[in-house]
Amino acid sequence: MGASIREILASKGPAEGVAVRGWVRTRRDAKGFSFLEVNDGSCLGSVQVIVDAGVPGSDDLPGMTTGSAVEAVGDLVESPGGGQAWELRATRVALVGGAPDDYPLQKKRHGPEFLRQIAHLRPRTNLFGAVFRTRSLLAHAVHRFFEERGFVWVHTPIVTASDCEGAGEMFRVTTQEVGGGKDSPEDDFFGKSTYLTVSGQLEAETFACALSKVYTFGPTFRAENSNTTRHAAEFWMIEPEMAFCDLGGDMDLAEEFVKVLVRAVLEGPADDFGLFSRFVDKGLEERLKFIVERPFERVSYTEAVAILEKSGRKFEYPVAWGENLQSEHERFLTEEHFECPVTVHDYPEAIKPFYMRRNDDGKTVAAMDVLVPGIGEIVGGSQREERQDVLERTLAADGLGSGYDWYLDLRRFGTVPHAGFGAGFERILMLVTGVQNIRDVIPYPRTPGHCGP
Ligand code: 4AD
Ligand code: MG
């Protein structure tokens, strides 16, 4: 592997025999020479290659069209034009793989809908290159965050028999053929009904009750028929889980986590961030700096409902104590009322899953959601019910009696107060890039009615 274009463009001085490999963004022909703009995705910038007529390989120049793959070797010299510091004067070029003129990414602006239809080619555009480099940077920052705090990374299963959220939004996993006769769960591959996981939380809890501080980071699946810009059927979730931790400690960690990730992007490559703040969302930098610098607001669900009721605002979904906060309510709180991220805590028991710890008021559970401007909920978590008798009751109330003995064992043997949360990786990416649609921050979006390559 030779040097990447990112390394070449950061060169400290001129150099000879430098090889550039990548895809042609544009070619311009002048009298006696051609300019090739070559990009390899290592950074936003392309390197300009000057190819004099007559250098070895220059006969193939007509085939070096937008989208084709090329290799150029030559001298890295100071670039007389503005724009970049270095350009390559080729001593030889080669066409590695041509791209006929039906290559869909000809040099012009393409809309996001069009680019979603060619998800396999869109990483070759400036915006998607920047988004997916940022996705990688953020994933590293996630692992660094937890490693620095002594958390153990646990790989929880993708195929599971338990419904963590109890919301019936699971994709079935089966090897049974439709109409194949043998279609009872006992005859299926695992001898019971199995699904793609909606959350690694329950398994993470078992590891937290052994290794104290753990986290998961992996794909999760929801057969949720909500066609919004913030929901995907397959998305990545980060789920820390801590033994000897209550809701307060959980909220502290969640808020710090969001801040640290935002800071990682602010301190990341300036070219990619500059593209987001210039072309995607002009208010991005100011908003992110504000998130890093200011403490988040904290309100109870009950206080939040009172604020919404007093707002005089006409919402599409009415506000009432006991109802779920809708996205429009969440966004009013974070964007208009507080104008900063808000952590809402202690939600009504009736709208939350069995595993959340029942509060003494008999009405609420020790749950929390972190809401941010532009998106709404990006983190959802809770203190877990550690009392065996209470948990047995709440499991039964959700119709989940059998199959959770292993989970109840945690409460039978050395039970401890513990807490954790789930953060939607794509939602955090939307926050830090300003990209408005979840479909544009995940390589291959899966949404109702859509499963591309
Ligand atoms: O609030 P949720 O459903 O919480 C859980 O799954 C808990 N078991 C997490 C835990 O406590 N360990 O999901 C957590 C987060 C949400 O706040 C949201 O950011 C994201 O996951 N999320 C989605 N992101 C994209 N598409 C979807 N369909 C999502 N559903 C949830
Ligand atoms: Mg939630």
Side-chain angles (χ1 to χ4, degrees), residues 8-9 11 13-16 18 47-48 50 74-81 84-90:
I8 290 170
L9 290 177
S11 179
E16 287 174 11
V18 173
V47 71
Q48 174 156 282
I50 293 120
D75 301 330
L76 194 66
V77 298
E78 248 174 81
S79 179
Q84 71 273 323
W86 302 105
E87 61 186 32
L88 192 83
R89 292 226 145 234

Side-chain angles (χ1 to χ4, degrees), residues 225-280:
N225 207 352
S226 38
N227 233 320
T228 79
T229 54
R230 292 175 313 279
H231 290 87
E234 175 177 328
F235 62 100
W236 282 54
M237 199 160 30
I238 300 127
E239 297 185 272
E241 193 68 36
M242 295 161 285
F244 305 99
C245 181
D246 63 10
L247 187 68
D250 200 34
M251 292 194 283
D252 289 346
L253 188 82
E255 294 173 358
E256 192 187 359
F257 178 68
V258 173
K259 281 174 186 262
V260 167
L261 292 190
V262 168
R263 195 177 304 123
V265 172
L266 282 172
E267 291 169 358
D271 49 353
D272 286 338
F273 189 72
L275 181 143
F276 302 137
S277 56
R278 263 180 302 144
F279 299 114
V280 180

